[in-house]
Amino acid sequence: MSTIEERVKKIIIEQLGVKEEEVKPEASFENDLGADSLDTVELVMALEEEFETEIPDEEAEKIRTVQAAIDYINKHSS
Amino acid sequence: MSSSLIGNLDGQIALVTGATRGIGKAIAEAFVAAGATVIGTATSENGAAAISAYLGDHGVGKTLDVTAEGAIDALIADVQNEFGKIDILVNNAGITRDNLLMRMKDDEWEQVINTNLTAVFKICKAVMRGMMKNRHGRIINIGSVVGTTGNPGQANYCAAKAGLIGFTKSLAKEIASRGVTVNAVAPGFIDTDMTKALTDDQRERIFDTIPAARLGKPEEIAAAVLFLASSGAAYVTGETIHVNGGMNMA
């Protein structure tokens, strides 16, 4: 079973079409990984599906980096 | 690979709302003839059964009251479970509650806006996720010539149909990069139950405004919808195709 961190990174790689080595913890989706606003919405939707959770809009807005995504899922998955 | 860029929908799944009769039925039949599997919706059980009957092995009728809480999401989930995906969505279901504005009740306004405009927003939202993931989708909204020209006694209907055009353009811009196109087809006067109710005198007056001097056929709307659903229309998005015998030229 993969860790949450691995699963989150895998989704980011798939959704944004980036290389594994680019997905550093501090990497920003929009500034470093070339995501546009629609990409980030799709990314959040993919995270919701993978972890069977619903991420409220106001929380989703704060998920701007790889680490922020990992932290959110760690905090909210049971 | 398909040999034809237009009119080949082999293997595609299409959802058509308001498919019991008239324009919706003609669209469903044109899609079936092009090789698609069609899910047609009706507001009643009887309507859904009638759709299942004419679709035969090529699809199924389902009930959908677009204004019922949760009904849209439930139907989309149901269709995606049963058929795996939705490639084509045609928002055709619509109602009229005509009245001069001086006499129009809040209720008449709200019913028309809810069914003809708000429901389109909800259905599009429900199917978008799948289409964006597949990097392929076709959304076709059925408007009306009166959304452009206006029509006395139909302020509610015209507002909804004009709103639909702005909605179509906005959504088209949002999701064009994902291979999903969003367009509208705006029929003029078409030979359906709605126009059968007109008197000879009314018909004659309408014909005076139509250069083609006749009503359109539902199949002539379906042909424009089929074009937009086809692979050959991949670069057409945010557009409204007017099919009205020349009565209004945008």
Side-chain angles (χ1 to χ4, degrees), chain A residues 15 36 38-40 42 45-46 48-49, chain B residues 128-129 132-133 135 174-178:
Chain A
Q15 282 293 325
D36 64 17
L38 192 57
D39 289 320
T40 55
E42 280 191 299
M45 291 186 336
E48 288 178 329
E49 257 173 47
Chain B
M128 266 174 64
R129 182 184 282 219
M132 284 167 66
K133 265 191 177 174
R135 293 294 190 266
E174 285 187 20
I175 59 178
S177 65
R178 299 304 190 270

Side-chain angles (χ1 to χ4, degrees), chain B residues 161-174:
Chain B
K161 293 300 187 183
L164 199 65
I165 292 175
F167 173 85
T168 298
K169 290 177 179 176
S170 300
L171 184 57
K173 287 188 175 182
E174 285 187 20

Side-chain angles (χ1 to χ4, degrees), chain A residues 10-27:
Chain A
K10 186 166 172 277
I11 286 171
I12 293 168
I13 291 163
E14 279 173 11
Q15 282 293 325
L16 304 183
V18 291
K19 294 194 188 79
E20 197 173 344
E21 56 268 30
E22 292 177 89
V23 186
K24 298 181 183 112
E26 70 280 8

Side-chain angles (χ1 to χ4, degrees), chain B residues 2 4-10 30-36 223 226-233:
Chain B
S2 119
S4 168
L5 286 173
I6 297 170
N8 184 338
L9 302 180
D10 278 341
F31 281 0
V32 164
L226 179 60
F227 162 67
L228 290 170
S230 301
S231 63

Side-chain angles (χ1 to χ4, degrees), chain B residues 137-159:
Chain B
R138 294 282 188 273
I139 296 174
I140 299 139
N141 298 318
I142 304 303
S144 171
V145 64
V146 299
T148 308
T149 62
N151 201 23
Q154 291 197 306
N156 49 2
Y157 187 77
C158 297

